Amino acid sequence: MWGFSFGMDRKERKSVKKQQLEQKIGYHFQNEAYLEQALRHSSYTNERHMDRLENNERLEFLGDAVLELVTSEYLYQTYPKMPEGTATRTRASIVCEQTLALCARELELGKYLRLGKGEDMTGGRQRPSVTSDAMEALIGAMYLDGGFASAKEFIHRFILNDIEHKQLFYDSKTILQEKIQGDFGQEVHYKLLKEEGPDHNKSFTVCVLMGEQELGTGTGRTKKAAEQEAAYEAILKIREKTET
């Protein structure tokens, strides 16, 4: 097996990686060009002086619209007594950057992306802004290749599969504050640990603290997104401790 792996050329290895991703998502692309473009970050096309329209941003734009429609339909049909305001907030919790990045992480989508060397070296494969955009681009690619039904099936399977969990993630800052106040009578506060990247693509790393005790850390394109992830990590840690 090792000899075969070393014997494969670069093109064959790329093909194997695409096949692995297709197996994970349960969908085979008829037109591989759609999948190729969905995985192609702007840093990759910039570095190779490719046409800017060859990156995944247009597919992301399309996938975002498909995701909003499918999510709206799902909430409308699944929760017939849910008022419009609640449905709007719930949809926002599902389609936000951090939640999509969470879904992308479960698929290990980052390892299949085509990134520029600089983006790759600075952690782009785990960066929520990169992976969430790629998730939407993948939806757009699937929509073009297999139609609305194919994209809808993917969204139901990998994004709408655990609404309660995603709602917890979206409301993590409020939930954590209420938990800490109720159990310890204290406030939580957030501390910026790191800020990196150019102005158009900033990345913030934040920790959430109770007094001097660090409860969790998170990274996001904005400080608010990073705080949200830090609070979510803290909630999971607290739950894990109480369950053991």
Side-chain angles (χ1 to χ4, degrees):
M1 182 175 176
W2 284 3
F4 173 75
S5 177
F6 286 129
M8 287 192 296
D9 62 24
R10 192 174 178 184
K11 187 175 180 180
E12 287 175 319
R13 286 197 297 271
K14 286 178 183 175
S15 180
V16 169
K17 287 191 77 173
K18 285 190 290 185
Q19 288 172 14
Q20 289 174 347
L21 179 57
E22 286 179 330
Q23 286 179 343
K24 281 189 177 184
I25 66 178
Y27 180 80
H28 176 73
F29 279 83
Q30 302 302 312
N31 185 343
E32 283 197 4
Y34 288 132
L35 177 58
E36 275 281 350
Q37 187 171 0
L39 300 176
R40 196 182 295 136
H41 187 254
S42 58
S43 62
Y44 181 89
T45 56
N46 291 340
E47 197 173 88
R48 284 159 180 75
H49 306 291
M50 299 168 67
D51 190 309
R52 64 191 298 270
L53 296 179
E54 294 186 59
N55 64 36
N56 65 4
E57 290 175 358
R58 276 168 53 82
L59 284 175
E60 174 204 338
F61 163 78
L62 179 60
D64 175 66
V66 176
L67 175 60
E68 285 232 356
L69 176 58
V70 172
T71 304
S72 299
E73 179 192 53
Y74 174 82
L75 294 174
Y76 183 86
Q77 293 181 342
T78 307
Y79 304 98
K81 295 185 179 180
M82 180 181 284
E84 182 270 342
T86 304
T88 299
R89 288 192 297 274
T90 304
R91 183 180 62 193
S93 73
I94 296 167
V95 304
C96 73
E97 176 187 298
Q98 296 299 106
T99 305
L100 290 179
L102 192 68
C103 298
R105 198 180 307 162
E106 291 171 355
L107 284 172
E108 296 182 294
L109 185 59
K111 75 178 186 180
Y112 300 102
L113 300 181
R114 308 283 288 277
L115 305 176
K117 290 180 181 178
E119 185 70 32
D120 201 357
M121 290 176 64
T122 56
R125 295 188 187 279
Q126 287 77 46
R127 188 166 292 129
S129 60
V130 173
T131 57
S132 63
D133 288 351
M135 196 75 174
E136 290 180 330
L138 186 59
I139 293 169
M142 211 171 295
Y143 171 79
L144 290 176
D145 188 73
F148 183 72
S150 297
K152 180 178 178 179
E153 183 178 342
F154 172 81
I155 292 167
H156 275 258
R157 183 178 175 189
F158 294 105
I159 299 176
L160 300 177
N161 56 334
D162 193 352
I163 296 295
E164 288 75 17
H165 190 199
K166 290 175 176 64
Q167 191 70 39
L168 168 66
F169 180 78
Y170 186 69
D171 294 330
S172 56
K173 289 182 68 175
T174 301
I175 293 169
L176 178 63
Q177 182 62 67
E178 291 175 349
K179 175 72 176 172
I180 296 302
Q181 279 184 334
D183 292 355
F184 303 100
Q186 294 193 43
E187 299 282 333
V188 298
H189 62 280
Y190 296 86
K191 179 181 178 182
L192 179 64
L193 299 177
K194 186 168 58 174
E195 178 180 336
E196 57 187 358
D199 289 340
H200 70 278
N201 192 22
K202 284 283 188 184
S203 176
F204 300 89
T205 300
V206 167
C207 70
V208 57
L209 301 150
M210 179 180 67
E212 296 298 317
Q213 182 184 352
E214 183 178 302
L215 303 177
T217 60
T219 302
R221 194 179 342 199
T222 64
K223 289 179 184 177
K224 183 178 179 181
E227 290 172 357
Q228 180 184 4
E229 185 164 298
Y232 178 70
E233 182 181 281
I235 292 169
L236 295 185
K237 285 181 178 180
I238 292 170
R239 286 188 171 184
E240 189 177 323
K241 284 182 181 179
T242 56
E243 289 172 2
T244 56

